[in-house]
Amino acid sequence: MNKKIFALLAIFSVMVLSSCGRNVKIFSGTFDRILKKMTLEEKAMLVTGAAAFSPADTLLEGQAAGAAGATTPIERINLPAISFADGPAGLRLDSEHTWYPCGTMLACSWDTELVENVASRIAEEARSKGVDVMLGPGMNIQRNPLGGRNFEYFSEDPYLTGKMAAAYVNGLQDKGVGACVKHFALNNQESGRSFNNARVSPRALREIYLKGFEMVVRESRPWAVMSSTNRINGVYASQSEALLTNLLRAEWGFDGVVVSGWGAADSIAAMLHAGNDLIEPGSRQAYEDIIGAVESGRLSEAELNVNARRVIDLLGRCSLKFEDAPMQHSIEEHIALARRCAADGMVLLENKDRFLPITAEKYPYVAVFGQDTLIAGGLGSSTVNTSHIPVLSEALANAGFHIAENAEDADVAFVVISRGATEGEDRPLSDFYLSKDENKMLNDVCRSFHEQNKKVAVILNTGGVIETASWKNLPDALLLAWLPGQEGGNAIADIVTGAVTPSGHLAQSFPIDCKDVASSSNFPMSELKSAKGKQVKNFDYTNYQEGIYVGYRYFDTFKKEVSYPFGYGLTYTTFSMDDPELFEYRFKNLMEVVVEVTNTGDMPGRAVVQLYVKAPMRGMQEKPAKELRAFAKTKELKPGETEIVTFPLTKTEFASYNEASCSWIVDSGTYIFMSGNSSADITGETARYFEKSISIPVEDVLALDSPINELRVRKSFFREHVRKDKSTSTKRTTNQVSKSVTPDTTAIVPAAVLNQR
Ligand code: BGC
């Protein structure tokens, strides 16, 4: 492309930016006709973000300042532009918007309705500012506690992640705002994030890292997916045809646009060819590369047409609401929701002698130690502009407490332990532990208050998992408040006073030590830098040697003690859960598991019922000790009130991926269905024998180029277990409970230990 023509085009498009109408409606019947009318240059402009053709601060018609990007309008054929804004913790623009809790905290609510509601409110604010697509939800797996963007992501578990993401997408799209789920895939570390080569087995990919994305695509049909900037088994995610075309589109049925991660650019032609349709935020270089690639035959115009048509399709979806008046909404309601979801996502970790809740009548004076001004959220894409900064002492004062001028006058101490988080950096190992000063503060406050028979509550204001085992018994209460958004202070006060009964449960395990996590030797534990001529481990490449053993799948299977298990959370009341009952239908492999929950305590509260399944082992195919396969949160139950929770399930949901046959397989054998309050607190179980195995062949994609010596349980254990499973497997009828087939995992030894023998 010659420079003069580019300059003319640029002038032309700047004009376009201010004149192309947003009230054009584009119906699907016209997509092909629009495409036919377009020149090569126009198609190249359409798939290159607007920043290529205008100064970064030029606004499109109807676009709000501070949006992350936009498509390029093509005035000649009256094709409008659409704009993208960041999230997912709220609408990120220059203007002021509601800052909701981080993704991790939303997941800890285990409440999909709540998450859908939050996304709807974000969509209302987006619509009011002319934003067409929200860049969220973020849904990568929290592989290691030190992952820099964990706070934006939901969980270490793919099922919980998939359900939360699907709810979020539904909330946005039902209000006419597109969702762009991100970052597809394997953005599990920030160190070297734009080139790091994640080396992962196909099984771990399918079961752990891609499962949530598969669920969200199948269940809620997002309009867009953002490719990640890292590589997967040697190929950039944004240039991987296997990932973006074979898997995402052909296998899962995705019919939207793949948008690049901002600034990702190795080979633009390879990206478009692979199915990465839109290059954001766009650059002159990208535009020229596309024209050059078509002219030289490296990219056919037919391929470019496919990308351009998909972008037209996205413009079409967005256009169907352009005429509507900006959506009316009440900011007060949004703020109230931010408060409610922060309270519902907090996890009460300790509460000795039922210390909490407390009243201002009984404990009039309180003191706050540590950071009184709370950290509302993480830095980067999910930072929202707000003037509402949560301050704990102010919130406690609003709830009726007096803030003691001198520590000695306080009846109760609140100690805040804070950890910020930011996009672009992983947490250093030191961030996992309390600092010397924090330790001293905690010990001093606990000692002096306890000497006077006064109580201490610790508030953890953190974006990620931290060490708790060595000090969690010091305070009287420990409340995990995550990065709670702008209403975090008031939400803490709601929990402290009992205005809201805590109902949050951990969406991730809290290990005793960071090094206990199976990925710890394959994760950047300190700042790493590139070295000339050398591939730096955990920076240039990362071997996912832990395979499927992420989070509780590792701790449970390998019998490793944790400080708090996945799914854990205390409340102010007590619940009883009956053993699960299983009803099998004779068609379509359908079944239902029913669990009855009763509030047996003396306060109203909501229970989270978690259903885990242990699948039988066949041959050398390992299975984790348990996997979350369903969950539900009850309504607020009054003391004595009961709710019956029903989980509809299909057998295929219990499949594991078999690499040898490239298929999802539901093995025949005995399945154990365990319900409970956490992965470690199973209150009841039932078993069912599946006579026939089910096999679903899929395409062999994303293979490793060389083995990575994945973590495995001891081989002899398998032989033993397979024998045991065969001998105990009899055909079972509904409601028959079997505890006899629970695996004896004492024989499991980590590969690392085995290697030393
Ligand atoms: C981030 C995304 C973000 C985008 C636009 C990218 O670099 O990884 O999360 O949505 O920039 O700001």
Side-chain angles (χ1 to χ4, degrees), residues 68 86-87 135 149 152 182-183 187 193 226 261-262 381 423:
D86 258 318
L135 302 174
R149 290 187 91 169
E152 292 181 71
K182 63 188 188 185
H183 308 86
N187 173 223
R193 71 170 176 176
M226 187 188 294
W262 264 230
S381 314
E423 176 182 341

Side-chain angles (χ1 to χ4, degrees), residues 590-593 629-630 646-650 653:
L590 287 181
M591 60 182 68
E592 251 176 38
V593 174
R629 295 300 193 196
T646 305
F647 301 113
L649 297 163
T650 46
E653 290 171 52

Side-chain angles (χ1 to χ4, degrees), residues 590-624:
L590 287 181
M591 60 182 68
E592 251 176 38
V593 174
V594 177
V595 181
E596 201 172 303
V597 195
T598 305
N599 183 346
T600 49
D602 51 12
M603 285 191 64
R606 301 178 70 194
V608 172
V609 187
Q610 301 165 35
L611 185 77
Y612 297 88
V613 177
K614 162 81 180 121
M617 299 199 197
R618 285 285 168 259
M620 294 307 288
Q621 181 82 348
E622 302 188 359
K623 306 280 169 70

Side-chain angles (χ1 to χ4, degrees), residues 407-695:
E408 308 86 72
D409 301 335
D411 302 303
V412 174
F414 287 88
V415 177
V416 183
I417 296 189
S418 303
R419 290 281 178 288
T422 180
E423 176 182 341
E425 282 168 25
D426 290 313
R427 297 166 60 202
L429 184 56
S430 56
D431 203 55
F432 183 76
Y433 305 104
L434 293 197
S435 68
K436 253 192 189 161
D437 289 349
E438 286 169 333
N439 249 316
K440 185 170 176 340
M441 169 177 71
L442 183 64
N443 276 284
D444 288 352
V445 173
C446 287
R447 193 180 327 104
S448 88
F449 273 71
H450 288 161
E451 271 168 13
Q452 301 168 65
N453 282 327
K454 293 174 179 175
K455 308 274 190 190
V456 180
V458 169
I459 309 294
L460 278 185
N461 175 207
T462 170
V465 170
I466 70 165
E467 192 277 325
T468 49
S470 68
W471 57 268
K472 65 183 182 185
N473 290 323
L474 279 178
D476 302 279
L478 176 52
L479 180 65
L480 175 57
W482 292 115
L483 299 178
Q486 67 179 56
E487 285 300 302
N490 290 327
I492 292 172
D494 288 342
I495 296 285
V496 164
T497 57
V500 175
T501 304
S503 62
H505 287 248
L506 293 177
Q508 48 290 109
S509 316
F510 269 55
I512 292 179
D513 192 90
C514 198
K515 291 171 192 154
D516 293 346
V517 177
S519 60
S520 60
S521 52
N522 290 296
F523 193 86
M525 293 273 164
S526 57
E527 207 189 322
L528 296 172
K529 290 196 175 78
S530 32
K532 244 197 176 154
K534 208 178 136 206
Q535 287 286 300
V536 178
K537 183 175 180 239
N538 299 336
F539 187 60
D540 292 302
Y541 70 95
T542 302
N543 292 336
Y544 284 45
Q545 275 180 305
E546 73 283 2
I548 57 167
Y549 296 113
V550 176
Y552 69 92
R553 283 171 170 76
Y554 171 69
F555 297 120
D556 276 10
T557 310
F558 288 77
K559 291 242 157 189
K560 192 117 196 159
E561 217 186 306
V562 291
S563 186
Y564 297 109
F566 174 83
Y568 171 88
L570 300 176
T571 183
Y572 294 154
T573 186
T574 50
F575 296 102
S576 73
M577 282 186 204
D578 285 0
D579 281 349
E581 280 187 82
L582 194 150
F583 302 94
E584 226 175 315
Y585 299 102
R586 295 276 163 236
F587 56 94
K588 287 195 172 169
N589 298 313
L590 287 181
M591 60 182 68
E592 251 176 38
V593 174
V594 177
V595 181
E596 201 172 303
V597 195
T598 305
N599 183 346
T600 49
D602 51 12
M603 285 191 64
R606 301 178 70 194
V608 172
V609 187
Q610 301 165 35
L611 185 77
Y612 297 88
V613 177
K614 162 81 180 121
M617 299 199 197
R618 285 285 168 259
M620 294 307 288
Q621 181 82 348
E622 302 188 359
K623 306 280 169 70
K626 62 172 85 72
E627 293 178 274
L628 184 74
R629 295 300 193 196
F631 65 89
K633 191 159 190 174
T634 65
K635 65 173 190 191
E636 183 160 275
L637 298 174
K638 294 189 204 81
E641 203 181 350
T642 293
E643 185 172 319
I644 296 169
V645 172
T646 305
F647 301 113
L649 297 163
T650 46
K651 280 186 190 166
T652 48
E653 290 171 52
F654 314 135
S656 65
Y657 184 72
N658 186 293
E659 292 182 3
S661 61
C662 296
S663 43
W664 287 98
I665 293 187
V666 185
D667 280 310
S668 60
T670 303
Y671 285 74
I672 305 169
F673 298 80
M674 298 166 264
S675 55
N677 293 303
S678 81
S679 58
D681 181 14
I682 299 301
T683 54
E685 64 178 48
T686 185
R688 186 61 86 255
Y689 183 74
F690 296 169
E691 209 166 333
K692 284 192 195 133
S693 65
I694 306 169
S695 170

Side-chain angles (χ1 to χ4, degrees), residues 206-518:
R206 293 248 184 196
E207 290 186 22
I208 307 292
Y209 296 102
L210 301 178
K211 193 71 201 168
F213 286 104
E214 179 179 355
M215 287 171 66
V216 81
V217 166
R218 290 191 194 274
E219 287 180 27
S220 59
R221 302 172 70 89
W223 295 1
V225 164
M226 187 188 294
S227 56
S228 60
T229 48
N230 51 277
R231 288 174 290 163
I232 303 169
N233 292 338
V235 183
Y236 280 99
S238 61
Q239 297 176 18
S240 171
E241 195 174 359
L243 185 73
L244 303 183
T245 297
N246 303 19
L247 210 63
L248 180 65
R249 295 181 198 279
E251 195 179 309
W252 303 346
F254 175 67
D255 62 357
V257 165
V258 176
V259 183
S260 70
W262 264 230
D266 173 56
S267 161
I268 301 291
M271 288 166 83
L272 295 173
H273 169 81
N276 190 120
D277 310 299
L278 180 60
I279 314 295
E280 283 292 337
S283 68
R284 174 184 168 144
Q285 185 64 51
Y287 172 80
E288 286 179 358
D289 283 354
I290 297 168
I291 301 282
V294 175
E295 282 172 355
S296 67
R298 278 180 293 119
L299 182 75
S300 70
E301 194 161 348
E303 285 176 308
L304 179 60
N305 285 348
V306 173
N307 305 121
R309 194 185 187 284
R310 291 192 192 126
V311 178
I312 296 170
D313 185 326
L314 180 62
L315 301 184
R317 295 183 203 206
C318 297
S319 77
L320 296 181
K321 64 172 199 299
F322 281 169
E323 260 177 17
D324 300 348
M327 195 164 265
Q328 298 300 316
H329 63 262
S330 142
I331 277 297
E332 289 69 38
E333 269 176 31
H334 293 195
I335 293 173
L337 179 65
R339 179 170 179 165
R340 179 76 212 192
C341 68
D344 284 359
M346 276 178 204
V347 185
L348 184 64
L349 296 174
E350 299 289 339
N351 196 20
K352 280 187 202 156
D353 305 324
R354 298 187 73 187
F355 161 51
L356 293 179
I358 56 173
T359 58
E361 285 74 50
K362 195 163 169 205
Y363 301 98
Y365 284 89
V366 299
V368 175
F369 299 87
Q371 204 167 313
D372 189 22
T373 302
L374 301 170
I375 305 176
L379 300 180
S381 314
S382 62
T383 308
V384 179
N385 285 310
T386 179
S387 52
H388 293 251
I389 303 299
V391 179
L392 184 57
S393 59
E394 275 175 18
L396 291 170
N398 290 342
F401 296 98
H402 298 284
I403 308 303
E405 303 233 325
N406 301 308
E408 308 86 72
D409 301 335
D411 302 303
V412 174
F414 287 88
V415 177
V416 183
I417 296 189
S418 303
R419 290 281 178 288
T422 180
E423 176 182 341
E425 282 168 25
D426 290 313
R427 297 166 60 202
L429 184 56
S430 56
D431 203 55
F432 183 76
Y433 305 104
L434 293 197
S435 68
K436 253 192 189 161
D437 289 349
E438 286 169 333
N439 249 316
K440 185 170 176 340
M441 169 177 71
L442 183 64
N443 276 284
D444 288 352
V445 173
C446 287
R447 193 180 327 104
S448 88
F449 273 71
H450 288 161
E451 271 168 13
Q452 301 168 65
N453 282 327
K454 293 174 179 175
K455 308 274 190 190
V456 180
V458 169
I459 309 294
L460 278 185
N461 175 207
T462 170
V465 170
I466 70 165
E467 192 277 325
T468 49
S470 68
W471 57 268
K472 65 183 182 185
N473 290 323
L474 279 178
D476 302 279
L478 176 52
L479 180 65
L480 175 57
W482 292 115
L483 299 178
Q486 67 179 56
E487 285 300 302
N490 290 327
I492 292 172
D494 288 342
I495 296 285
V496 164
T497 57
V500 175
T501 304
S503 62
H505 287 248
L506 293 177
Q508 48 290 109
S509 316
F510 269 55
I512 292 179
D513 192 90
C514 198
K515 291 171 192 154
D516 293 346
V517 177

